Amino acid sequence: TGFAAAQDNFTFPDGFLLGAATASYQIEGGWDADGKGVNIWDTLTHERPYLVVDGSNGDVADDSYHLYMEDVKLLKDMGAQVYRFSISWARILPEGHDYKINQAGIDYYNKLINALLENKIEPMVTMYHWDLPQKLQDLGGWTNRELAIYAENYARVLFKNFGDRVKLWITFNEPLTFMDGYASDTGMAPSINTPGIGDYLTARTVLIAHANIYRMYEREFKQQQQGKIGITLLSFWCEPLTPNYVEACERYQQFHLGTYAHPIFSEQGDYPSVVKERVDANSKAEGFTTSRLPKLTSEEVNYIKGTYDFFGMNFYTAFMGLNGVVGGTPSRERDMGTIVLQDPNWPESASSWLRVVPWAFRKQLNWIANEYGNPPIFVTENGFSDYGGLNDTNRVLYYTEYMKEMLKAIHIDGVNVVGYTAWSLIDNFEWLRGYTEKFGVYEVNFNDPSRPRTPKESAKVLTEIFNTRKIPDRFLD
Ligand code: PNW
């Protein structure tokens, strides 16, 4: 029959890649080492430390710039098959532009990549995990469309130097999150207050940059290097508060995931029509002559459409949605017209936005599969925050319960999930939350200059899962 035995449903399919993830600014430190240029997180944390809850920064962080061999060893100990890490643009191109390459930066990532391969761990590289070279921010950052070309030039340097060995590439991590850097002066870097305007300009530049990189790889490298390129998008499940709010949640999906996924992954391409209609109408009502959502031309729509080999999915939590107009004028929140809240019965984490809702993972996987024609999905992030400690029972439950729902989506629903990297390998600099919220499966002692790493209970359970390739029986009910 077509039905697998019950326990098979909690086994990972052959070829499914398991591993862990990090990002450059959150772990590397070495902020001014060996010719690295300044980036927007260096600037934010140094010039406006009050924006970070504990006033901390990533100057040293986990010191992975020096201790990367420790990280490789942890991955090997776990039996990880893949390591998702990001490259610091300003470590490779100190001024952002490709006319000046920092050889020490190239050397660093070569050493890391080679060490991974020697240990049979596949490198998966994020090109941009939020640490824009300051020199490019000085030109307007992502609101400046020329960055779509500068990003392509940066990517070419990466393909030339690392593409012989790196076969899994992610252009951008969570543009939905970093576009907020242009929507408020108390948020993410560069922390500029142009809501409803700078964030939409960012979306367009990022979509064109992503397509430029994908098309350039096709023309110049793909035949020889045979790699795969995707983009990592953050999404949340939205459960209608009552059956009256199905449309409110659909709108929420389209304003969050759809803004980026529809142009790349849908058959029609372009921004979702509900996004175009609502931003255009609000802009007009607010007195703007030109819509705050800059449109993609039909050439751009076709150019962006289909530029993927896989769908990178970050998934953490869920909300309940209802109709309601909130947020400043103008703002994306107001444009969307959906209010979300979380059920107080859902277990909490250390992060205000993160509650534990395992069933929502299966629903969101199915939503993506249905909406975008069942693309290969690589879960590039999923994880849980607490305030620290080795006995992290809640994190163990988070991983096992979420993985079980993912395996149901694979085996029962036929969703094409091809890999999973846990966020995160090690405790690290959690952006505006500094070092207060811990996501690592390995603890790091940030008071010790040698930054020792110690496995938590969750690292042991992931080790067991990575080696047996199934959810242990004691977590099945
Ligand atoms: C992701 N939210 O960001 C990032 O890719 C990581 O760098 C980060 O450390 C991790 O998730 C944990 O936060 C998010 O507010 C930031 O919903 C914010 C949210 C979700 C993800």
Side-chain angles (χ1 to χ4, degrees):
T1 76
F3 294 96
Q7 72 267 31
D8 290 350
N9 285 342
F10 298 109
T11 298
F12 289 91
D14 291 340
F16 190 99
L17 292 175
L18 288 162
T22 62
S24 48
Y25 188 76
Q26 295 181 273
I27 68 160
E28 280 179 5
W31 79 278
D32 64 349
D34 307 332
K36 175 181 163 292
V38 173
N39 66 47
I40 58 176
W41 276 94
D42 297 319
T43 303
L44 179 142
T45 56
H46 294 164
E47 293 180 6
R48 291 184 284 172
Y50 50 84
L51 292 180
V52 180
V53 64
D54 56 0
S56 67
N57 57 53
D59 288 4
V60 180
D62 297 277
D63 200 20
S64 289
Y65 182 65
H66 299 106
L67 302 177
Y68 64 95
M69 280 308 291
E70 303 275 316
D71 299 339
V72 174
K73 187 177 176 302
L74 304 181
L75 290 156
K76 178 160 173 80
D77 289 349
M78 285 177 88
Q81 297 168 286
V82 54
Y83 179 41
R84 173 181 181 239
F85 63 95
S86 80
I87 290 185
S88 161
W89 189 336
R91 199 181 290 291
I92 300 284
L93 307 177
E95 297 181 15
H97 296 281
D98 63 353
Y99 82 120
K100 215 180 263 179
I101 297 180
N102 178 35
Q103 188 56 42
I106 303 277
D107 294 346
Y108 169 65
Y109 294 108
N110 269 331
K111 286 185 284 182
L112 172 60
I113 291 164
N114 291 341
L116 290 167
L117 292 173
E118 278 157 27
N119 288 284
K120 307 217 168 9
I121 301 160
E122 170 140 30
M124 179 181 221
V125 172
T126 310
M127 299 177 178
Y128 185 75
H129 201 125
W130 308 355
D131 41 4
L132 188 72
Q134 183 58 41
K135 286 281 187 192
L136 299 184
Q137 186 52 48
D138 295 344
L139 300 170
W142 292 108
T143 63
N144 182 345
R145 221 193 132 113
E146 291 305 297
L147 259 78
I149 296 169
Y150 306 155
E152 177 186 337
N153 293 336
Y154 161 56
R156 185 180 293 103
V157 174
L158 302 187
F159 295 143
K160 271 191 189 158
N161 283 280
F162 310 123
D164 56 332
R165 287 153 294 148
V166 174
K167 305 298 170 188
L168 292 173
W169 296 97
I170 294 161
T171 54
F172 290 94
N173 179 68
E174 293 187 2
L176 178 70
T177 311
F178 75 76
M179 79 197 292
D180 273 334
Y182 298 87
S184 147
D185 56 11
T186 59
M188 294 289 191
S191 212
I192 288 172
N193 192 22
T194 55
I197 302 171
D199 37 7
Y200 289 129
L201 289 170
T202 295
R204 178 179 59 173
T205 306
V206 167
L207 284 165
I208 296 171
H210 165 81
N212 279 347
I213 294 169
Y214 188 91
R215 302 277 181 217
M216 177 269 287
Y217 188 74
E218 274 186 328
R219 285 193 313 272
E220 302 179 21
F221 298 96
K222 195 161 194 166
Q223 207 188 348
Q224 211 200 334
Q225 298 187 350
Q226 300 282 322
K228 289 184 164 61
I229 303 185
I231 183 168
T232 281
L233 303 178
L234 174 68
S235 62
F236 308 94
W237 174 250
C238 182
E239 182 71 17
L241 184 65
T242 76
N244 294 330
Y245 297 123
V246 171
E247 221 179 283
C249 275
E250 180 63 21
R251 226 168 35 240
Y252 180 88
Q253 292 277 15
Q254 296 299 351
F255 266 84
H256 285 85
L257 186 53
T259 297
Y260 294 96
H262 201 274
I264 298 170
F265 295 93
S266 76
E267 222 168 285
Q268 315 88 293
D270 202 356
Y271 293 116
S273 45
V274 68
V275 172
K276 289 189 288 184
E277 283 157 17
R278 291 182 71 96
V279 184
D280 290 359
N282 276 358
S283 300
K284 197 166 176 195
E286 290 153 2
F288 288 88
T289 300
T290 309
S291 175
R292 290 180 281 100
L293 181 73
K295 294 304 172 313
L296 301 168
T297 65
S298 57
E299 288 77 32
E300 287 167 344
V301 168
N302 286 319
Y303 180 72
I304 295 166
K305 196 167 61 178
T307 52
Y308 69 89
D309 300 311
F310 62 90
F311 187 119
M313 176 191 191
N314 285 0
F315 187 82
Y316 289 90
T317 195
F319 292 90
M320 293 185 302
L322 63 153
N323 290 327
V325 178
V326 294
T329 307
S331 66
R332 279 186 294 132
E333 198 178 15
R334 174 164 292 265
D335 292 337
M336 172 171 65
T338 298
I339 299 176
V340 294
L341 44 94
Q342 287 181 313
D343 186 332
N345 294 316
W346 295 340
E348 293 178 280
S349 71
S351 308
S352 60
W353 52 273
L354 203 181
R355 282 178 187 263
V356 183
V357 200
W359 55 265
F361 193 13
R362 180 177 177 186
K363 289 204 178 200
Q364 187 66 14
L365 283 162
N366 274 279
W367 194 91
I368 292 170
N370 291 331
E371 184 80 4
Y372 305 117
N374 207 12
I377 298 174
F378 197 115
V379 177
T380 45
E381 282 180 32
N382 177 235
F384 176 83
S385 63
D386 60 19
Y387 298 106
L390 297 178
N391 205 346
D392 57 341
T393 320
N394 290 333
R395 181 172 290 104
V396 169
L397 276 177
Y398 183 99
Y399 279 123
T400 53
E401 291 301 309
Y402 274 63
M403 282 181 169
K404 280 158 67 180
E405 294 297 322
M406 177 175 71
L407 288 164
K408 288 182 202 167
I410 295 172
H411 293 299
I412 302 173
D413 309 331
V415 178
N416 187 15
V417 191
V418 298
Y420 177 99
T421 46
W423 185 271
S424 178
L425 179 66
I426 45 182
D427 290 340
N428 58 53
F429 178 75
E430 176 56 19
W431 308 111
L432 300 173
R433 309 306 299 169
Y435 296 96
T436 62
E437 298 175 12
K438 316 282 189 187
F439 276 90
V441 298
Y442 283 86
E443 180 180 84
V444 176
N445 182 353
F446 294 100
N447 298 316
D448 185 327
S450 66
R451 295 296 190 273
R453 285 108 160 108
T454 310
K456 304 181 189 179
E457 189 56 33
S458 56
K460 296 177 186 166
V461 172
L462 287 190
T463 304
E464 185 179 352
I465 292 174
F466 291 0
N467 283 289
T468 61
R469 298 187 64 80
K470 65 184 182 67
I471 307 300
D473 285 343
R474 65 183 182 282
F475 297 110
L476 305 179
D477 25 46

